[in-house]
Amino acid sequence: MGFDLGALRAAVARHGRVARVVVAEVAGSAPREVGTSMLVWSEDGRTCQSGTIGGGALELAASEAALTREGVSRHPLGPSLGQCCGGSVTLFTEIYDAASVDALDGQDVVARGPGEMPLAVKRLLDRARARGERPEAQFLQGWMVEPVAAPDRELWIWGAGHVGRALVGVLAPLPSLALTWVDTGPERFPAEVPEGVTVLPAAEPARLVPHAPQEAWHLVLTYSHELDLGLCHALLGHGFRFAGLIGSETKWARFRSRLAALGHADAQIARICCPIGHKAFGRDPQAIAIGVAAQLLGDKTGDRQACQTHFSASGA
């Protein structure tokens, strides 16, 4: 989580004037945590938004006021809002245009508030900089401090068929992931690709493997078993943090044999997770995508044990 500058820039480019509402503080029970935000704009006289700060009456009131009231507002989550959470939420609202978004370029932490920066905020930023860290989102002496959202994981999706499209649809909104999407030709991709996804048509996808970082995560799910095998072979020679292959147990048994014949050791081959998905969720592309996404978000080790724990379904 962090200040999603890319999403804000895109919204301002489309709509001109955009309010950003962020949860600055919470006390007691609240629907979302500090740093959660939403964007609000006006379109044809209607109030529109992306993102959510928890829904319900709080979000409705915040979105209706966002374009007319900047600054700090505090909201008890009680009878006045028709809610019974019992806590309270402090919101920090700002309105952006192209110039104010451009002013944020080059910043890895966005700190803003009234008057001169408090000493406590300066110390927080200096301490984080000295440690090579980014501070967590927090509201400090009237100033809102947020790290700029940046992907912490590169995910390469090999294949733009039904499962590939479902995966991109599920994962693309997550700012923590940088998605690269590969298939054999531009006609293989949908007419509209989610913003921020890098599309790479390549007649021979395996030739792109050397361009992927060795710590990248990979999901192999092309329309061709030969393409899948070539990608697995290339990935084993290149290195990866995690690699998942769509397929049945029968397909994986054949692939293990063929990869061994290509010179790969059993221990290396076992690093590839196959099949992917979750048996209990079923084989629908969206169900497979949800199962894969849950594992990717919940486990960062990328080892075979995690694969066996989380994945137990088949694909193509």
Side-chain angles (χ1 to χ4, degrees):
M1 186 181 301
F3 194 112
D4 193 340
L5 184 54
L8 177 61
R9 189 187 307 282
V12 168
R14 287 196 189 99
H15 310 294
R17 186 170 177 267
V18 175
R20 183 175 184 272
V21 183
V22 60
V23 176
E25 289 181 320
V26 298
S29 178
R32 296 299 301 272
E33 63 273 23
V34 172
T36 303
S37 66
M38 67 178 181
L39 303 178
V40 182
W41 63 89
S42 179
E43 188 172 312
D44 298 327
R46 297 178 295 111
T47 299
C48 304
Q49 73 178 71
S50 64
T52 175
I53 57 170
L58 169 66
E59 183 167 298
L60 177 61
S63 62
E64 288 179 341
L67 291 165
T68 59
R69 185 181 65 199
E70 289 190 88
V72 178
S73 59
R74 292 178 172 82
H75 306 266
L77 302 178
S80 64
L81 284 176
Q83 294 185 283
C84 56
C85 296
S88 65
V89 173
T90 299
L91 301 178
F92 191 86
T93 303
E94 301 165 286
I95 297 176
Y96 287 90
D97 58 17
S100 54
V101 169
D102 288 344
L104 300 176
D105 281 347
Q107 299 185 36
D108 55 5
V109 178
V110 179
R112 65 278 188 211
E116 185 177 349
M117 181 182 289
L119 181 59
V121 176
K122 292 180 181 178
R123 287 175 174 166
L124 173 70
L125 299 178
D126 289 343
R127 185 166 56 249
R129 194 176 299 113
R131 295 175 178 174
E133 302 172 347
R134 298 192 307 162
E136 293 185 358
Q138 55 194 283
F139 192 57
L140 187 60
Q141 295 187 6
W143 274 55
M144 190 68 209
V145 179
E146 294 176 86
V148 172
D152 60 12
R153 193 180 314 174
E154 290 208 31
L155 174 62
W156 288 55
I157 296 178
W158 304 85
H162 295 301
V163 176
R165 294 182 184 212
L167 277 164
V168 169
V170 169
L171 297 171
L174 299 173
S176 62
L177 294 177
L179 297 187
T180 300
W181 199 6
V182 184
D183 210 318
T184 53
E187 73 284 353
R188 295 281 305 164
F189 297 92
E192 294 187 9
V193 174
E195 194 158 353
V197 176
T198 300
V199 170
L200 293 179
E204 299 179 56
R207 294 172 70 90
L208 291 181
V209 168
H211 296 279
Q214 290 188 325
E215 286 296 301
W217 292 52
H218 299 268
L219 294 170
V220 178
L221 28 91
T222 77
Y223 59 85
S224 162
H225 283 200
E226 287 305 311
L227 288 175
D228 286 353
L229 180 68
L231 285 164
C232 290
H233 175 47
L235 287 169
L236 287 170
H238 176 66
F240 52 83
R241 174 73 171 178
F242 173 88
L245 169 68
I246 196 167
S248 63
E249 292 288 354
T250 301
K251 174 182 174 179
W252 182 228
R254 290 173 179 167
F255 269 44
R256 287 199 305 269
S257 176
R258 295 181 68 181
L259 290 168
L262 288 168
H264 300 291
D266 289 346
Q268 284 297 102
I269 296 171
R271 291 191 62 218
I272 296 176
C273 179
C274 182
I276 59 173
H278 195 296
K279 195 171 189 177
F281 295 174
R283 299 185 180 186
D284 181 84
Q286 281 69 34
I288 295 173
I290 291 169
V292 173
Q295 197 269 347
L296 291 178
L297 292 174
D299 183 277
K300 294 189 177 182
T301 63
D303 59 15
R304 182 65 183 171
Q305 183 179 3
C307 170
Q308 293 172 331
T309 300
H310 294 280
F311 289 158
S312 56
S314 63

